[in-house]
Amino acid sequence: MRSTFHSLETARRALMAQQAALQTTSHNIANANTPGYSRQRVNLTVTSPYATPGMNSSVSPGQIGTGVEAGTVQRMRQDFLDLQFRGENTKTGYWQARSEALSKMEDIMKEPSDDGLAEVLNRFWNSLQDLASDPENEGTRAVVKQRGIAVADTFHYLTNSLQNVRADIQNQLQVTVKEVNTLARQINSLNEQISQVEPHGKLANDLYDKRDLLVDQLSELVNVKVSESESGGNALDIAEGRYTIEIVTNTGQSYTLVDGENMRFKRLSANFDPVDGTVQFSLNGTTIAGSVAGKLQGLADSNNSTYPDMIHSLDEMAAGFVDKFNQVHQSGFGLDGNSGYLFFNDLGGTVQGAAEAISLSSDVLNDLGHIAASSNGDNGDNGNALKLSEVLTEPLTIDNKTTDLYSYYEGVIGGMGVEAQEAKRLADNSLTLRMAAEKRRQSVSGVSIDEEMVNIIKFQHAYNAAGRMVTVVDQTLDRIINQMGIVGR
């Protein structure tokens, strides 16, 4: 025969289960705006029924239910949505870094504008035209000298500014590498904490969320691959275990950053070449071959090629221009009837560092009469001044190409503009895709206040009903204990 207290125990279990559901709902609402939080739910499960025992067999037509219990508290998460988000996050990190670096370069070059190198060369060309109009005029000679200084200063300014931004990018690389190491250390620490919780048959939901938030942040910096390993003990089947994080290169090669099996992590390093300043990454001394993607690779590409290429182009321009201009200038005559004067100091055929080294010669700086406008020694002749002005437009050998100064510079600026535009477009596209992936993920993991309010009402009603059941059983017991069997007293 079943105990009278059976229903009381069943109601008690219902109260406890609904209370756990209400507490979880409260936890969800409290963290509705917490970054990285995944909504949780209580998995309510039916407790084991039993058949009422009799003398020889069960005396009831079936098994008697014993109520409900809160089985597990599980967070709502889907791995493939995390995978999609992190993939887009890696692309966003790369293209945003590239776009930002190219945008800074555009700000430095200032083309087209009245302050760019093209306009400075135009003004120099105009001053040579004025000199051809009046070759003996000291004023026009002074303007040529000042415009020549302006050309040299502009080359210096552009080169120094590009070098400074490149140095900033190298600092950013160092900071980003430290960030990767910090995230790896924190993920490893969370692995340790999770491995202490799961073997006891519990789910470390809030620790999972913290760890996934760190992996999301890491995915913006480098391309990562996440795999899980079990914690052992009595871990539940739905336990997520420890994360092993690998950096995956564009060649498909993987390098372990966080070792979930052995619960340790490796340190990422940025190694700069002392000669050319290019960077290469390594993990605990092991060189990473290939692109690591993400923001780190965007910065590395800007440091290794984008900025050095622009500086090299300026060097090529400066070297080619100085060599040709001096060649023509030396063939002409100054007001003193002598020839062979240098307009710019000779760079000795050296291309590297030419844009930084270009400067007016002491011949011109000390005496305006040394500007060689004449082609025959006659002070009134302007033949060489005209030849000097043609240097800007006649074919030169720059960077092993036959072109003129303007065309080469237009090609360099055009290439930069297209690259910057493309980087911005891809940064915007990847950002849009990341937002779409995040929206899909939030539809599963995010907290909906409306849904939680519905849950509150649902669990509250169930709790109230269970409480009413306790009252009914109590009244029944009161009837049996206090009001039965009292006839004749």
Side-chain angles (χ1 to χ4, degrees):
M1 183 178 181
R2 293 188 297 276
S3 169
T4 309
F5 293 95
H6 176 87
S7 297
L8 194 61
E9 173 62 16
T10 302
R12 185 195 70 79
R13 291 180 177 181
L15 284 172
M16 298 297 291
Q18 303 308 323
Q19 187 178 33
L22 279 169
Q23 287 171 342
T24 301
T25 303
S26 173
H27 186 54
N28 286 340
I29 293 172
N31 289 283
N33 296 318
T34 303
Y37 179 78
S38 304
R39 71 185 172 92
Q40 299 174 7
R41 75 176 179 195
V42 174
N43 293 323
L44 298 176
T45 55
V46 178
T47 51
S48 301
Y50 74 98
T52 304
M55 292 298 292
N56 298 311
S57 63
S58 170
V59 295
S60 67
Q63 291 182 321
I64 302 300
T66 58
V68 65
E69 65 178 357
T72 55
V73 180
Q74 184 181 7
R75 70 172 187 154
M76 306 308 294
R77 199 93 177 185
Q78 290 188 355
D79 291 343
F80 75 93
L81 291 177
D82 283 335
L83 193 64
Q84 285 182 354
F85 174 83
R86 288 166 188 160
E88 297 303 332
N89 205 25
T90 303
K91 294 176 190 171
T92 303
Y94 176 80
W95 286 114
Q96 284 185 337
R98 292 279 294 148
S99 178
E100 186 178 344
L102 286 163
S103 176
K104 288 179 180 176
M105 180 179 285
E106 285 186 312
D107 291 342
I108 292 171
M109 302 306 292
K110 289 185 179 176
E111 296 291 359
S113 77
D114 291 340
D115 301 320
L117 180 60
E119 183 59 26
V120 172
L121 290 171
N122 268 336
R123 291 173 188 155
F124 184 53
W125 182 85
N126 288 335
S127 70
L128 293 170
Q129 292 288 318
D130 292 341
L131 178 65
S133 301
D134 192 358
E136 294 179 284
N137 187 291
E138 189 168 345
T140 56
R141 286 174 174 270
V143 172
V144 170
K145 171 188 162 185
Q146 291 303 323
R147 295 302 187 197
I149 292 173
V151 169
D153 288 347
T154 304
F155 271 111
H156 297 169
Y157 167 79
L158 294 178
T159 303
N160 291 335
S161 298
L162 291 171
Q163 287 173 342
N164 289 338
V165 173
R166 191 187 183 203
D168 290 342
I169 290 173
Q170 290 175 350
N171 288 333
Q172 263 187 288
L173 275 165
Q174 296 282 19
V175 171
T176 307
V177 165
K178 285 182 183 176
E179 196 175 348
V180 170
N181 288 330
T182 301
L183 290 170
R185 177 176 54 76
Q186 291 175 333
I187 292 170
N188 187 60
S189 174
L190 285 169
N191 271 344
E192 292 175 351
Q193 294 176 50
I194 289 167
S195 68
Q196 293 170 3
V197 174
E198 288 185 339
H200 301 290
K202 298 177 181 176
L203 297 175
N205 294 315
D206 294 333
L207 294 177
Y208 295 155
D209 283 343
K210 286 182 181 177
R211 185 175 61 181
D212 278 324
L213 182 61
L214 294 175
V215 176
D216 287 348
Q217 294 171 6
L218 185 63
S219 69
E220 186 176 2
L221 307 181
V222 291
N223 185 29
V224 294
K225 176 184 173 186
V226 180
S227 54
E228 300 171 358
S229 54
E230 295 179 357
S231 294
N234 295 319
L236 299 172
D237 291 339
I238 57 175
E240 298 185 16
R242 295 163 293 184
Y243 275 0
T244 291
I245 310 288
E246 295 172 290
I247 296 177
V248 183
T249 67
N250 59 335
T251 59
Q253 201 164 351
S254 300
Y255 299 85
T256 302
L257 178 65
V258 179
D259 185 351
E261 287 285 346
N262 301 302
M263 285 189 286
R264 60 190 177 194
F265 70 99
K266 295 178 180 177
R267 298 195 70 82
L268 183 69
S269 301
N271 309 307
F272 291 94
D273 188 297
V275 177
D276 58 19
T278 55
V279 66
Q280 198 162 31
F281 303 109
S282 63
L283 270 175
N284 276 14
T286 302
T287 300
I288 297 177
S291 165
V292 297
K295 179 182 177 182
L296 206 56
Q297 192 61 47
L299 292 171
D301 286 350
S302 301
N303 174 73
N304 292 352
S305 59
T306 305
Y307 274 77
D309 288 350
M310 180 57 77
I311 293 171
H312 174 73
S313 296
L314 290 175
D315 284 340
E316 290 281 0
M317 272 185 67
F321 171 65
V322 167
D323 184 55
K324 184 65 177 178
F325 198 86
N326 276 343
Q327 186 182 344
V328 175
H329 194 266
Q330 284 181 303
S331 66
F333 296 85
L335 293 178
D336 59 2
N338 294 323
S339 63
Y341 294 120
L342 290 171
F343 189 87
F344 294 104
N345 282 318
D346 186 21
L347 297 174
T350 305
V351 172
Q352 187 172 2
E356 201 172 9
I358 182 174
S359 60
L360 253 65
S361 70
S362 57
D363 292 339
V364 174
L365 284 174
N366 296 333
D367 190 344
L368 293 174
H370 290 168
I371 296 176
S374 171
S375 59
N376 56 16
D378 184 355
N379 288 345
D381 181 67
N382 66 353
N384 207 52
L386 290 173
K387 290 181 182 175
L388 287 172
S389 65
E390 290 170 357
V391 170
L392 298 174
T393 53
E394 70 179 14
L396 301 173
T397 302
I398 303 177
D399 202 7
N400 297 321
K401 301 172 188 171
T402 301
T403 179
D404 63 79
L405 198 66
Y406 282 127
S407 298
Y408 181 80
Y409 188 58
E410 284 174 1
V412 171
I413 295 300
M416 177 195 70
V418 170
E419 199 175 355
Q421 192 177 29
E422 190 69 4
K424 186 176 184 311
R425 184 181 68 80
L426 290 171
D428 290 343
N429 286 353
S430 55
L431 183 62
T432 302
L433 291 172
R434 185 181 73 175
M435 290 172 64
E438 173 64 5
K439 192 174 179 180
R440 288 194 294 274
R441 192 166 68 165
Q442 283 299 312
S443 69
V444 174
S445 304
V447 175
S448 166
I449 295 298
D450 291 341
E451 185 178 338
E452 298 304 326
M453 292 302 291
V454 171
N455 285 338
I456 286 176
I457 295 171
K458 182 173 68 177
F459 296 132
Q460 184 187 22
H461 284 180
Y463 187 88
N464 290 341
R468 178 62 184 161
M469 187 65 202
V470 172
T471 302
V472 169
V473 174
D474 180 59
Q475 290 173 345
T476 303
L477 289 173
D478 179 63
R479 171 72 68 179
I480 293 171
I481 296 171
N482 298 320
Q483 298 179 34
M484 290 178 68
I486 60 175
V487 177
R489 285 184 183 178

